Structures are given as C-alpha cells and as structure tokens.
DNA sequence: CGAGAGTTTGACGGCTTTCAACGCGGGTGG
DNA sequence: CCACCCGCGTTGAAAGCCGTCAAACTCTCG
C-alpha cells in the first residue's frame, strides 16, 4: 500500500478548495478543522477531525473545502484507487463516511437549537467526541471566531457565554486551549 | 442481485429509528424526508431525498433516523453484503455517500445564515436540487412545520416569509405543493 | 356538513446581533 | 531591552429580528 505521511504545523493549510484530489488524506495525530468560504466572504466551519479521521473522500474532481491544522499533526495520504480495489479497505472507508455523516447530522441538530447556550453546550459535546477528551478535561484548540463559525453565532456571543460558564464553574479554563467541563456539560 | 421493491403512500413511514438495518433502501421514484426525534421531543429534519438517493447506509446495527414518504414512492431494498462485494457497486455507493455528505454540508451552511429570509432562500435552492425542478417550477411537498424543522425556524416565521414572497412575486404558488421561483431565487 | 389538521396574521417581549471601546499577550524591530 | 503593533478576547449599550402566545381562517376528508 502506497502511503506518504506529511507533517503540518499549527495553523497550516493541509489542502484548499479547488485543489485537485489525488489521494485520500487521513489524520494520524493532531486535530484539524474543515471549512468553506462562502460567496459573501464568510467562513463556514463544516467539521472537526481528530486522529483516525479522513479529511475528504474525493477521488476524482476538485476539492470543495479547506482543511487546516488546529494543532501540529501528521497526515497520511492514501492512493484512492488502491484503497477502493481492496474489499476490506472499501468497507472500512464506508464505515468512516458513515461516521462523518453522523457527525454532520449532529452538527445540523446543534445548529437548529434556538438559544446560544444550548448550541454551545451541544458544541462542547460534539467537540469532545471529535477531538477526544479524558473524562471532564478536554482540548479545545479553537479561536472564538472558529467556534462562532461552527455554531452560527457571533464571536461576542460565544465570549459572553463562556464568561458566564466560567463564573458558574460550568466550564473552567485549565490552560490555554484546555477546559474542564462541569456536571451540567457532561450529560451525554 | 437480490432486490425487492416496495411502494409507500404519502405520509407513510418507510423505516423508523431503532429498526434493525438489514438492507439498503434506495428511492426509485417519489420523494422522502429523513428526520430524528430529539430527546426533548422536537423533530429535526436531517435531509431530503429524491429519486436515486439512498435513505441510509447502515449495514449492521440499528438505524438512527426515520424516513417518511413525502409523495407516493417506490423503494428498492438492496442486500448490503452483495452490494459491497461488487467493486463497481461499492464505488457507486461511495459516490452516493459523498453526494449525501455534500448535501448535509449545504444544510449546515443554510442553518448558519443569520436571517430567516436568507435561510429560506437557501432552503428553496437545496430543495430544488434534492427533489428536482424544471426551470423555475418546483415541487415542495412539505408542510410549513417540516420546512421549519429543516431550517431551524418556527412555522410562523416560514409562513410570514412565504407570504411576503408571494406579494413580491419572488415565489408564487402554482398549485398545492408546486411553486414558481422568481428571479431573486434563481441565483444558483 | 362537521371535524381537524394545517395555515395565516397580529401584538409583544426577549435574546442575539451590531457597533464600539478597551485589555491582554506575543512577536518584531529599533 | 523596551516600545510598538496586531490579533485575539472581553465587556457595554442599543436596536432589530424572531419566537411566543393567541385567534381566526382554509382545505381536505370523513
């Protein structure tokens, strides 16, 4: 199996919309964010990816979204044709896509929550599952703006809600990019 | 290839969350809506499906969402193992999933629009692509409540926006479930 | 003809957005 | 070494849009 592994530093672009798809990128370690740029210039975050996740499934045409490293990370590039020709690998790929589809649907559910607090609570939940968490401590290597673009809120609203949670001890900052979830956020 | 085709009347449930997945359902004709029921009882519409679309990709476990017929429709049930063992069919399935993923992402983009008018304009666009449209005339066999559950708005807001569009001639009702899009809505 | 689901319209209040100013920290260059 | 600057985050005040509640209307189906 032909595989090449490439490392990316924090904030580095892994691939861009419009690039020609050649091989399928899978995150070995670290975390990444997937987004598009809308016609009006707004950024829309589509998904978060953690270790083990594929960053796209395009085998032929052009890519339709961007991927950026949230933390330093390693990405393995698999040859698409080889992957598909192996029945086991194809089944594995199918499973991966089904998982992605599940996350996108949770994202949809999150976005249809009416209050900012509910949306952000769902976001914390989703992020913990995408990026990994040890019990109540989780990494959240996103800027306020990125969280806003994920949840469909403004960065001010995100900031205000987090500030309130900090006072409640619902979500306390452990260090930069690391938070501890209080009981109210450990529902799922 | 083992396939059985079943017909469903309007409003009939094609499958429910919690059902055991056995075979993969593909819509031959008609239209369907996919949704989940949230813990608080709210319905969340996840996706629209038209002719040619698979309704889920679960091969093993339990289904996580419902599918309901929007119009009378025929559904073909394919045996999952057979489908996966054929390399061509597996590739086809992968393509289908990629398309679904694309639609979910457009849905995400739609939901992050801040104004009700923008969201509904995006919805019209998406629905036209999912359900098919001839030029400016499209079918929209959804209730106001279903549109609200798709767009994350309330049915009152949907109704008000449609009423305004009717006055603007932005979107005019041709007959029950059939609308004509004005120029403002034919952007894409 | 009656019943019930779906739709329309109105008034009001609240929550988020918007606009604006300020604080903080890290990196750069003098 | 220090001053400056820029990105990021925080906080405040005001306005607007949508959600909520409520009532009346339409259409379909029995």
């Amino acid at each position: 199996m032909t595989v090449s592994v490439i490392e990316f530093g924090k904030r580095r672009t892994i691939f861009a919309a419009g690039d020609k798809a050649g091989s399928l990128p899978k995150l070995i370690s670290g975390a990444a964010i997937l987004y598009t740029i809308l016609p009006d210039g707004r950024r829309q975050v589509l998904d978060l990816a953690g270790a083990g996740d594929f960053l796209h499934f395009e085998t032929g045409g052009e890519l339709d979204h961007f991927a950026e490293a949230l933390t330093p990370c390693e990405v393995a590039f698999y040859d698409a044709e080889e992957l598909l020709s192996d029945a086991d690998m194809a089944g594995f790929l199918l499973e991966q896509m089904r998982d992605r589809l599940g996350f996108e649907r949770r994202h949809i559910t999150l976005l249809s929550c009416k209050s900012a607090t509910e949306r952000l609570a769902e976001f914390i939940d989703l992020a913990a599952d995408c990026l990994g968490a040890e019990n109540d401590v989780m990494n959240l290597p996103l800027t306020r703006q990125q969280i806003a673009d994920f949840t469909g809120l403004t960065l001010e609203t995100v900031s205000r809600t987090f500030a309130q949670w900090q006072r409640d001890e619902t979500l306390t900052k452990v260090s930069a990019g690391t938070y501890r979830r209080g009981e109210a956020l450990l529902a799922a």
Side-chain angles (χ1 to χ4, degrees), chain A:
Chain A
M1 176 118 326
T2 327
V3 183
S4 59
V5 175
I6 301 183
E7 295 184 15
F8 292 88
K10 188 173 178 168
R11 301 268 163 145
R12 279 309 166 78
T13 297
I14 300 172
F15 58 78
D19 287 359
K20 275 242 284 282
S23 47
L24 297 184
K26 178 179 159 183
L27 212 50
I28 304 296
S29 68
I33 193 169
L34 310 183
Y35 65 90
T36 52
I37 304 286
L38 304 180
D40 62 7
R42 260 177 44 231
R43 276 185 182 218
Q44 174 58 49
V45 175
L46 296 172
D47 210 347
L48 299 175
D53 296 332
F54 279 90
L55 300 179
H56 72 71
F57 300 94
E58 202 68 49
T59 54
E62 286 192 358
L63 300 178
D64 59 353
H65 61 273
F66 297 78
E68 186 182 305
L70 288 173
T71 66
C73 60
E74 301 166 287
V75 183
F77 289 87
Y78 292 90
D79 184 82
E81 281 189 36
E82 276 187 66
L83 222 56
L84 281 177
S85 61
D86 181 338
D88 283 347
M89 292 305 285
F92 174 67
L93 207 57
L94 227 65
E95 208 172 310
Q96 286 281 324
M97 291 186 78
R98 201 164 48 225
D99 288 349
R100 273 302 109 197
L101 210 52
F103 277 118
E104 306 297 22
R105 285 173 174 172
R106 280 178 66 184
H107 194 168
I108 288 173
T109 301
L110 178 168
L111 286 167
S112 67
C113 288
K114 303 229 187 296
S115 88
T117 311
E118 280 180 274
R119 274 200 227 180
L120 285 168
E122 290 282 335
F123 165 71
I124 294 294
D125 232 50
L126 189 55
D129 290 345
C130 279
L131 305 180
E134 295 177 18
N135 296 318
D136 55 349
V137 177
M138 66 182 295
N139 288 321
L140 207 57
L142 306 196
T143 67
R144 294 285 184 261
Q145 183 64 58
Q146 288 173 325
I147 297 175
D149 290 343
F150 192 103
T151 54
L153 300 167
T154 59
L155 82 171
E156 291 97 331
T157 303
V158 174
S159 182
R160 274 186 253 269
T161 306
F162 273 49
Q164 182 58 44
W165 280 349
Q166 190 92 315
R167 287 189 285 269
D168 292 336
E169 298 188 347
T170 304
L171 186 75
T172 52
K173 182 184 275 181
V174 176
S175 66
T178 310
Y179 291 83
R180 167 171 286 116
R181 287 179 284 172
E183 293 182 13
L185 285 180
L186 287 169

